[in-house]
Amino acid sequence: MDYKQIWAGIRSMYEDEGALEGKIRGEHLGSVIRLTPYAMAANIGSASLMLWALQDLRSIGLYLWYTCMLATACVAMQRWRHYAHRQLQTASRRAARRATWHASILAVLWACLPVFWFASVTSGQQLLIATLFTGMLSAGTFLLSPLPRASLCYASIFTAAALWALWDAGEPIMAGVAGLMVFYAPINMVGAISSWRKATALIISRSEAVRQEQLLSTVFRDFEQSANEALWEIRTNGMLAQASARLCTLLRLPPAHAPSTSLPEWLAQHAVRENDAFSKILDQQAPFHSLPMALEIHGERFHLAFTGKPFKDEWGHIRGWRGVVADKTSIVQAQEQLERLAHTDSLTGLANRFFIHQAIAEEMQAGRGGALLLIDLDYFKTVNDTLGHSVGDAVLQEIAKRLQTASAPTHLMARLGGDEFAVLMRQSRDGSYPLALAQRQAQILAEALNRPLHMEGRRLRMGASIGLALFEPGDTDVDGLLVQADTALYVAKDAGRGRYVAYTPEMGERNQRKARLENDLREAIQRREMSLHWQPQIDVSTGRLCGAEGLLRWQHPELGAIAPTEFIQIAEQSGIIDTLGAWVLLQACEAAVHQPALAGLDVSVNVSALQLRDADFVTVVQATLLTTGLAPHRLELEITESVFIEDPARALQQLHALRALGVRIALDDFGTGYSSLSYLSQFPFHTLKIDRAFMQKAGEHGCGHTIVKSIVRMASDLGMRTVAEGVEAPEQLALLCEMGATQAQGYLWSRPCSAEAFAALRSKWDQGTAEERVPMRSEAP
Ligand code: C2E
Ligand code: CA
Ligand code: CA
């Protein structure tokens, strides 16, 4: 026994003001008070017995003693009644001290008995007193043990009084009794203190348990109320043990079914994927953390995360599992939403470029074949520019809808940006994607997209060109596939819009050549690879040389002569056309002023629709005329009908501005593309150039003849000159003459030729050597 610790414990119980000490005091005091009636009954009974046994003494002191005894018992009972119906939670230090005093007073009262009367009574009475005194000593000490100071004071007073009385008796035998007393009393005290210690330890551990329980219940209450979490517990057979309401809510499990539900089975039944994930993790018989489970019940998709560990009995056998389940639905949904946003095009809801790229890569990695369609809307830019962006957006949304309705569920539709869309056609089986199937789908899409759109009461023809490329199992180059589809798309656009084209390797070569030409074209002017050739224009009625058309030539150092039809298109697509066109204009004007061969002749320069769209074009023409000093009426700009497709109003405005400069405007290739006669009435062209194709048809007779004839008449009615292109045969010339065409140009006189060759031609012409090649000339004056 550690006495220091025991004394400190007793001191603390009596002196410290802490809640625990108060509680210990309260409990101990309560247990003593509860026994008060029995103790007082014993006291009064014993005191009465003594009064009876010692009645022959007839001592007033004895009666007085007895009265005091009764009074003390009454006071004690009074206190008992005060506390009887109360559960003492705590007791003050004063109350504990008062108990010590009460015990001491009682002990002093009993001590009077041997002190005053032991020596003077008979040995029989002495035996009675000693027996009763010993009994009262041990019973009292034990009864008061919860209050150690009271118990010790009580025992000490009893012992001291006994020893005093034995000594006072003066008989040798009493020394033996005293010896016994000295031995007996401390044992009583030690027993009392030990019992106090045990009781105190019990009180402390009980209050600690209560405190923990309170703490836990607060924690659990908070936990169940605040978080989207619940506790779960299952037995080894998987059956739920004590499922809380919250757990049932989280599991979407009717509470009535909970006791008969196996958690692993419930989860397996409703798991969206990996049905056995929970069972598997239990099999590992180890703690696990945040096991995600995606579940679906009655169409509601929700996400839970399970954390848990097995619990074991005292022999180490697993008795079940318990842990926490958290509802992660909102978090998962937010994540999915974010992912969707990163993967979808916000305007149409289709996949975006990034996502389809990834999807193609996945198909390739899985070793499957597939097909990719790239779709480009033909007239979207016009709609967007003329009707505004909101209509443009609505068009794109409608197109997306059409794509979706026309595609199979396994297809992935994406908007790559602007008016470009893509469809990835996936297949479940291995092997190549059948070309015929892909083509059929492309055809379906082309038809769906070519159907007119109805927007804000307007009927819009959108049209779409489609490029198709296949990838084979084993292919890994996503970018390569996109380039192929893009190449096919360009071919489709070139071939006239509104159709689909499947990629072929030859297109790849074309594409490479195109890329190379585009690259080389940027430096062709500086490298002096460009030159302007001239083709003479003849006055049909007089046979006189009246003008020359400047035609651009590119002599590539490695690839040789490149056809203007090829490189002009590349220049237009790559934006080089403005620079190139300005250079041609400058060359033509300078030549017209400085080359003797062109003296007195009109010069024609071809102008691309894209050049005309450039806001600075009029300024460029004006500046060129100024710097070269060419008289504006000698310059004719040849434009094609395509300038009116995108923005007719703007084109007309530009043309009027050019006309105001004094230059002449010719409508080139009339009769080929869009041939709307309405343009002719809207803008006063100086010249109408009848396309070569018409001349061929006119030569073959039939309706071509009639058409050319009526075009020529109409032009002359509108005050325009007509220039017939591609006149190769004298018969054609005769026909033109008969129809009344103004001018002609063609191989009949000369192919387009270099400035030197043209100079030679001119001098020959002027000397009249060209006479034989110009049959009409002889008839001219
Ligand atoms: P285009 O403006 O219609 O030019 C007439 C084309 O017909 C020229 O082809 C010319 O060589 C060809 N040609 C002339 N007479 C005959 C003939 O009797 N029979 C046949 N079969 N063909 C004949 P070229 O030089 O190959 O030019 C093709 C096109 O390239 C031109 O068609 C024009 O649209 C464009 N182009 C040429 N130079 C320029 C330029 O400087 N700027 C722009 N924007 N386009 C140009
Ligand atoms: Ca031309
Ligand atoms: Ca032409």
Side-chain angles (χ1 to χ4, degrees):
M1 246 194 234
D2 186 346
Y3 291 99
K4 262 193 190 160
Q5 202 188 338
I6 294 169
W7 288 128
I10 295 174
R11 223 191 74 84
S12 155
M13 171 178 140
Y14 278 90
E15 310 297 339
D16 287 352
E17 276 200 281
L20 178 65
E21 285 75 22
K23 186 166 171 54
I24 294 173
R25 280 195 296 267
E27 289 247 354
H28 282 319
L29 199 60
S31 69
V32 171
I33 287 173
R34 269 196 300 283
L35 294 176
T36 302
Y38 309 103
M40 288 308 119
N43 273 292
I44 299 302
S46 304
S48 304
L49 181 73
M50 275 300 128
L51 190 65
W52 172 76
L54 301 182
Q55 57 186 326
D56 53 330
L57 286 181
R58 313 227 177 258
S59 153
I60 295 185
L62 194 63
Y63 289 111
L64 201 65
W65 170 81
Y66 185 71
T67 318
C68 286
M69 206 54 136
L70 282 180
T72 310
C74 283
V75 171
M77 286 307 289
Q78 196 72 36
R79 288 207 66 76
W80 170 77
R81 274 192 44 206
H82 180 69
Y83 288 115
H85 303 293
R86 282 195 233 163
Q87 178 72 37
L88 261 189
Q89 298 291 352
T90 178
S92 65
R93 292 180 296 172
R94 235 183 91 224
R97 272 200 299 270
R98 208 162 43 213
T100 312
W101 278 114
H102 284 164
S104 301
I105 289 166
L106 194 67
V108 167
L109 272 180
W110 278 107
C112 293
L113 198 65
V115 168
F116 293 121
W117 296 290
F118 189 72
S120 49
V121 294
T122 61
S123 56
Q125 284 169 326
Q126 276 184 340
L127 180 68
L128 187 73
I129 290 175
T131 310
L132 183 123
F133 202 73
T134 321
M136 286 308 288
L137 165 66
S138 51
T141 310
F142 182 70
L143 222 74
L144 286 169
S145 67
L147 301 168
R149 279 190 184 171
S151 174
L152 289 185
C153 286
Y154 181 89
S156 304
I157 292 167
F158 260 66
T159 313
L163 290 178
W164 163 263
L166 290 171
W167 180 75
D168 192 40
E171 285 174 42
I173 190 75
M174 291 306 171
V177 182
L180 276 176
M181 196 70 198
V182 168
F183 175 67
Y184 185 57
I187 289 183
N188 259 314
M189 292 188 208
V190 168
I193 285 176
S194 142
S195 138
W196 167 79
R197 279 185 76 201
K198 275 186 199 151
T200 306
L202 198 72
I203 294 169
I204 291 175
S205 72
R206 215 167 49 208
S207 84
E208 181 62 16
V210 169
R211 197 180 67 84
Q212 289 227 354
E213 202 171 291
Q214 281 170 347
L215 190 76
L216 272 178
S217 75
T218 327
V219 168
F220 284 146
R221 214 175 31 244
D222 281 0
F223 173 79
E224 293 248 313
Q225 272 169 6
S226 63
N228 287 336
E229 294 177 335
L231 299 170
W232 59 271
E233 182 176 330
I234 54 172
R235 296 188 202 98
T236 37
N237 59 5
M239 302 305 280
L240 277 170
Q242 313 157 8
S244 67
R246 174 163 290 271
L247 179 64
C248 292
T249 315
L250 287 194
L251 293 174
R252 278 65 165 175
L253 174 71
H257 297 184
S260 57
T261 299
S262 152
L263 183 60
E265 273 176 30
W266 176 260
L267 295 177
Q269 251 170 30
H270 302 287
V272 175
R273 51 183 176 267
E274 281 190 82
N275 303 38
D276 55 348
F278 195 76
S279 308
K280 266 190 190 159
I281 206 139
L282 293 186
D283 287 346
Q284 291 173 4
Q285 307 202 335
F288 53 92
H289 195 268
S290 294
L291 172 77
M293 296 286 307
L295 303 163
E296 193 173 290
I297 294 178
H298 304 311
E300 183 209 352
R301 176 75 68 96
F302 59 101
H303 299 264
L304 302 178
F306 285 87
T307 294
K309 61 177 191 179
F311 62 90
K312 299 177 179 176
D313 60 16
E314 48 270 57
W315 294 284
H317 300 135
I318 290 184
R319 308 297 309 178
W321 284 264
R322 58 166 80 102
V324 178
V325 54
D327 193 328
K328 301 279 184 193
T329 308
S330 54
I331 296 173
V332 173
Q333 279 173 350
Q335 272 171 351
E336 284 175 351
Q337 175 77 5
L338 273 180
E339 227 163 273
R340 253 200 309 281
L341 282 179
H343 288 166
T344 50
D345 168 55
S346 53
L347 179 66
T348 59
L350 301 182
N352 61 13
R353 178 182 285 276
F354 166 77
F355 189 67
I356 196 163
H357 205 278
Q358 202 179 320
I360 297 170
E362 275 168 21
E363 289 303 293
M364 287 181 168
Q365 270 159 20
R368 287 188 288 266
L372 178 69
L373 295 179
L374 279 194
I375 301 164
D376 193 285
L377 301 184
D378 292 334
Y379 305 111
F380 177 72
K381 204 177 172 307
T382 319
V383 168
N384 209 34
D385 289 352
T386 51
L387 301 181
H389 290 277
S390 56
V391 176
D393 286 354
V395 166
L396 292 175
Q397 285 168 337
E398 175 60 26
I399 293 292
K401 253 185 239 160
R402 287 193 184 180
L403 277 181
Q404 277 168 322
T405 25
S407 299
T410 52
H411 296 170
L412 176 70
M413 276 71 65
R415 177 169 168 240
L416 304 183
D419 58 348
E420 256 188 81
F421 293 84
V423 179
L424 169 66
M425 293 189 272
R426 299 181 271 211
Q427 61 178 359
S428 48
R429 55 184 192 81
D430 289 345
S432 312
Y433 198 90
L435 177 64
L437 194 67
Q439 282 175 324
R440 197 159 65 232
Q441 184 59 28
Q443 177 71 43
I444 292 171
L445 289 181
E447 278 165 14
L449 301 184
N450 285 334
R451 276 202 319 273
L453 280 135
H454 297 276
M455 287 282 151
E456 297 183 342
R458 289 167 205 260
R459 192 164 173 274
L460 301 176
R461 236 201 92 212
M462 193 48 56
S465 302
I466 301 179
L468 159 63
L470 297 181
F471 57 96
E472 298 292 322
D475 281 353
T476 52
D477 185 4
V478 181
D479 290 319
L481 177 75
L482 283 162
V483 169
Q484 288 184 0
D486 202 41
T487 307
L489 174 64
Y490 268 98
V491 174
K493 275 193 173 287
D494 283 355
R497 297 143 185 247
R499 61 184 75 195
Y500 76 89
V501 166
Y503 173 82
T504 59
E506 298 81 65
M507 284 181 198
E509 284 161 27
R510 235 180 87 168
N511 206 47
Q512 276 174 5
R513 178 180 162 94
K514 204 168 160 182
R516 181 172 178 191
L517 289 183
E518 183 185 326
N519 197 45
D520 295 349
L521 196 57
R522 294 175 196 278
E523 273 134 43
I525 295 175
Q526 282 96 316
R527 291 203 199 133
R528 300 178 171 276
E529 293 164 13
M530 292 288 184
S531 62
L532 207 57
H533 279 209
W534 297 97
Q535 187 175 38
Q537 291 176 332
I538 314 302
D539 188 307
V540 173
S541 57
T542 63
R544 246 194 240 148
L545 183 62
C546 57
E549 179 181 1
L551 290 155
L552 189 57
R553 294 290 175 264
W554 181 14
Q555 187 64 31
H556 193 278
E558 282 155 36
L559 301 171
I562 314 289
T565 37
E566 187 177 8
F567 72 78
I568 291 291
Q569 193 193 32
I570 295 173
E572 285 176 341
Q573 283 168 1
S574 57
I576 309 171
I577 192 67
D578 289 331
T579 328
L580 201 59
W583 182 81
V584 168
L585 186 69
L586 184 67
Q587 297 303 307
C589 294
E590 273 185 345
V593 173
H594 299 296
Q595 280 184 24
L598 291 169
L601 300 183
D602 295 337
V603 289
S604 297
V605 173
N606 292 285
V607 173
S608 151
L610 290 177
Q611 274 175 277
L612 192 73
R613 213 186 289 165
D614 182 10
D616 293 334
F617 182 67
V618 181
T619 326
V620 170
V621 174
Q622 193 176 22
T624 311
L625 290 171
L626 269 175
T627 50
T628 56
L630 180 69
H633 66 86
R634 282 186 64 199
L635 178 64
E636 184 161 71
L637 299 177
E638 298 189 4
I639 57 137
T640 58
E641 287 164 298
S642 60
V643 299
F644 298 111
I645 294 178
E646 295 245 324
D647 189 349
R650 169 128 191 78
L652 284 173
Q653 187 193 334
Q654 290 276 81
L655 290 176
H656 280 291
L658 289 170
R659 229 184 116 92
L661 292 179
V663 300
R664 294 189 301 189
I665 311 289
L667 186 58
D668 202 355
D669 302 342
F670 186 80
T672 49
Y674 318 90
S675 283
S676 164
L677 294 173
S678 68
Y679 299 133
L680 293 181
S681 56
Q682 278 182 41
F683 185 78
F685 291 99
H686 290 97
T687 309
L688 198 66
K689 293 192 80 174
I690 304 167
D691 194 66
R692 196 169 72 232
F694 264 103
M695 287 317 298
Q696 278 163 359
K697 279 182 200 154
E700 292 156 10
H701 286 283
C703 66
H705 184 99
T706 332
I707 291 174
V708 175
K709 201 171 173 180
S710 55
I711 290 174
V712 170
R713 184 167 327 125
M714 180 191 67
S716 88
D717 287 352
L718 288 168
M720 295 177 187
R721 311 189 293 175
T722 40
V723 178
E725 293 185 305
V727 179
E728 294 180 356
E731 304 82 60
Q732 286 173 320
L733 180 61
L735 214 62
L736 284 173
C737 203
E738 178 198 321
M739 288 172 182
T742 332
Q743 292 172 3
Q745 70 181 87
Y747 294 173
L748 179 60
W749 297 277
S750 168
R751 290 176 177 255
C753 55
S754 64
E756 299 80 51
F758 191 80
L761 178 98
R762 173 95 198 245
S763 65
K764 264 196 220 163
W765 199 287
D766 288 346
Q767 289 155 24
T769 45
E771 202 168 326
E772 314 89 67
R773 284 154 76 203
V774 190
M776 295 301 291
R777 203 178 175 237
S778 53
E779 291 160 29

